[in-house]
Amino acid sequence: MMAFAERILGPLVHIRDRFSLTRLDMAHDGVLQHVRQARPKAPPAQVAAVLDDALSIPCPDPTAEERTRDAHQARGLKLARSEDWGQLTEEIAQADSARRKTPGGKPVAELMAYGARADVVGAAEHALLSGRPTPGAPLLAGIEALEQVLAGDPTNPILSAIVAQAHMDIGWAWRGTGWDIEVPARNREAFSAHFDRAADIVNDRADCIAGSPLLAATACALSSGRGGAVRHTVTQYETWIDLDPKNAQALRAFGAQLLPRWHGDYARLELEARRVAGRTHDIWGAGGYTWMMLDAISVDTEACLRVDIAFFVDGLHDILRHAPDQHTVNLLAAYCANTMGSMPTGHDETDYVRAQIAEAAVWIVRDHLTELHPMLWAHAARGFDNALRVRCADTFAASGYADALRYLTGVFRRELSAGNRVVFTDKGAEMRPG
């Protein structure tokens, strides 16, 4: 542990001015950002009030999915704070074995494990909010406490997953998600130290991965940060997907890791996406291909240009046939409309592909939408960035609400222009006299 601490807290390396971090500020939608970044224009004032007279859609706050996720995270947090590690690991193991999920498809075991490490990771993230630790921040206190818990029960695979994931979360907090050349040397060193320790923990419990989606997910998260041969990455993700093929996040993460910037290339991404679609056809239909491509094509111009657009859209239909819950409906509608439709790349051929995907949002809204989930629309506008730091959740959700209302008004422009009201019920959109 002392060697690990020395690697984290070693002398600060001098970085050239162009790599220095700028001051953080809060954007109009409640997201922390560097002041040098261009800010999107604020939504027009009173847009919601104007549209609410003509368009009515239920907007639960929180949604059923959010309530369920919060409850499982809170359960993990409560048991960790009370240091009831036996009960915590037993409940996580049961959820993991039963493949229990929220209505929107999020594994319960992952949510409880996140709650269990939330205090430790949250403290580290707060200390590193500006990219550098605040003076006197006790960066190692929380993770050392978790290490002591693991030392008391070193063969417990669930504890191993919690501690390894905590190290990786802290490692990413140190590094950020920018290009490697933009990361200060001290931050890279801390990132490597945390991932090295996570690797030691995962390797010690390698015998348990084959039976546990949570352990398999932990191993995949480790490979995402450490690199390695593409064949090794593929094998690890295949194990995770075979253990839990209904977990769409596994497919999304797999596709993203096969981009050239990480562990693969475009040909391998296409090949593995088609293989996954075949292996999961009974669960997702063509949707396996779509889940694999979802994040990859939103961040990579060449991947988007190469995507089989017909196969991708068929997959959207099949996903909603197999998972018609409103969380998934909102996620895919917001992805098509906001992530792909509102973020042109400036590359004409790629933007044509993105426009075709954006068109799918129209039939998703008309055929499947019954309620609005603003947070998903807000995250879609930011590309579903996992490293996004939201300072004001209410402001962030309000930006998603405004985006969604503007889009819905465009979809139903003809009906609204004819004097009709658009009212969403549990059966979908209905046209009523104004």
Side-chain angles (χ1 to χ4, degrees):
M1 181 62 65
M2 181 58 67
F4 172 76
E6 289 174 351
R7 293 183 64 186
I8 294 289
L9 300 175
L12 187 63
V13 177
H14 295 289
I15 307 298
R16 287 182 297 179
D17 288 343
R18 71 173 182 268
F19 296 145
S20 63
L21 294 173
T22 56
R23 180 174 57 86
L24 288 172
D25 200 359
M26 190 168 72
H28 77 278
D29 57 0
V31 176
L32 286 175
Q33 63 179 16
H34 299 298
V35 295
R36 66 184 177 187
Q37 295 175 340
R39 294 189 182 188
K41 293 181 179 179
Q46 300 180 339
V47 64
V50 172
L51 297 181
D52 280 346
D53 291 337
L55 189 148
S56 175
I57 182 169
C59 187
D61 181 23
T63 67
E65 178 70 12
E66 290 166 347
R67 287 197 306 272
T68 305
R69 292 189 181 198
D70 288 348
H72 291 305
Q73 288 182 15
R75 178 62 176 168
L77 178 63
K78 177 182 178 180
L79 290 173
R81 285 178 173 176
S82 62
E83 299 187 7
D84 194 349
W85 298 102
Q87 183 66 28
L88 173 67
T89 55
E90 180 181 349
E91 291 185 18
I92 293 177
Q94 290 175 353
D96 193 39
S97 177
R99 313 302 194 258
R100 287 178 55 204
K101 292 183 175 58
T102 66
K106 183 71 174 179
V108 171
E110 290 185 17
L111 292 167
M112 292 188 66
Y114 178 80
R117 65 184 190 274
D119 279 342
V120 172
V121 174
E125 289 179 340
H126 179 75
L128 294 165
L129 193 60
S130 66
R132 298 184 297 269
T134 55
L139 281 170
L140 292 179
I143 195 65
E144 285 179 341
L146 281 182
E147 287 279 8
Q148 290 174 3
V149 174
L150 180 60
D153 191 2
T155 63
N156 188 317
I158 301 300
L159 273 180
S160 298
I162 292 171
V163 179
Q165 288 179 354
H167 274 291
M168 288 186 280
D169 288 345
I170 296 172
W172 282 115
W174 271 100
R175 187 194 182 283
T177 57
W179 293 97
D180 191 59
I181 195 173
E182 298 175 337
V183 182
R186 183 189 184 188
N187 295 51
R188 284 199 302 270
E189 178 74 9
F191 174 82
S192 297
H194 280 291
F195 266 77
D196 287 347
R197 175 54 186 149
D200 291 341
I201 296 171
V202 171
N203 290 338
D204 286 345
R205 306 307 306 149
D207 57 321
C208 300
I209 291 176
S212 168
L214 181 62
L215 266 291
T218 305
C220 288
L222 180 64
S223 70
S224 299
R226 287 173 60 86
V230 64
R231 182 64 250 174
H232 179 65
T233 299
V234 168
T235 299
Q236 287 188 313
Y237 274 94
E238 285 177 340
T239 298
W240 186 14
I241 292 168
D242 287 344
L243 285 169
D244 195 8
K246 293 183 179 180
N247 184 357
Q249 188 57 48
L251 280 64
R252 293 176 65 178
F254 188 17
Q257 287 303 309
L258 291 176
L259 288 171
R261 68 183 67 183
W262 293 112
H263 300 102
D265 56 58
Y266 299 118
R268 192 59 180 262
L269 171 61
E270 181 69 21
L271 172 64
E272 297 299 337
R274 291 181 180 275
R275 290 183 62 210
V276 166
R279 287 164 52 210
T280 62
H281 188 269
D282 59 329
I283 295 170
W284 294 113
Y289 179 86
T290 303
W291 282 131
M292 284 280 289
M293 290 293 185
L294 202 76
D295 295 306
I297 66 174
S298 72
V299 299
D300 191 290
T301 299
E302 184 66 22
C304 186
L305 186 61
R306 291 167 175 253
V307 72
D308 185 333
I309 188 66
F311 199 3
F312 185 91
V313 174
D314 284 346
L316 290 174
H317 284 283
D318 284 348
I319 289 171
L320 293 174
R321 180 166 56 87
H322 289 277
D325 62 277
Q326 284 301 294
H327 177 85
T328 303
V329 171
N330 273 266
L331 187 153
L332 294 182
Y335 170 85
C336 293
N338 261 10
T339 306
M340 302 302 283
S342 300
M343 298 182 184
T345 65
H347 186 279
D348 289 345
E349 293 180 345
T350 300
D351 286 342
Y352 176 67
V353 174
R354 294 173 75 96
Q356 293 180 78
I357 294 174
E359 291 175 0
V362 175
W363 60 259
I364 294 175
V365 165
R366 286 185 174 273
D367 297 345
H368 299 280
L369 191 68
T370 63
E371 62 184 39
L372 189 62
H373 296 185
M375 289 294 279
L376 284 174
W377 286 80
H379 278 292
R382 292 279 183 161
F384 293 104
D385 182 2
N386 289 330
L388 198 64
R389 292 169 174 171
V390 178
R391 171 62 65 85
C392 180
D394 289 343
T395 302
F396 189 61
S399 72
Y401 180 67
D403 283 348
L405 283 180
R406 280 195 298 271
Y407 183 77
L408 295 179
T409 301
V411 170
F412 295 99
R413 179 172 286 106
R414 287 187 179 181
E415 292 88 342
L416 294 170
S417 297
N420 293 311
R421 295 183 65 245
V422 179
V423 178
F424 283 82
T425 71
D426 57 2
K427 296 180 181 179
E430 296 181 356
M431 305 306 128
R432 298 180 184 177

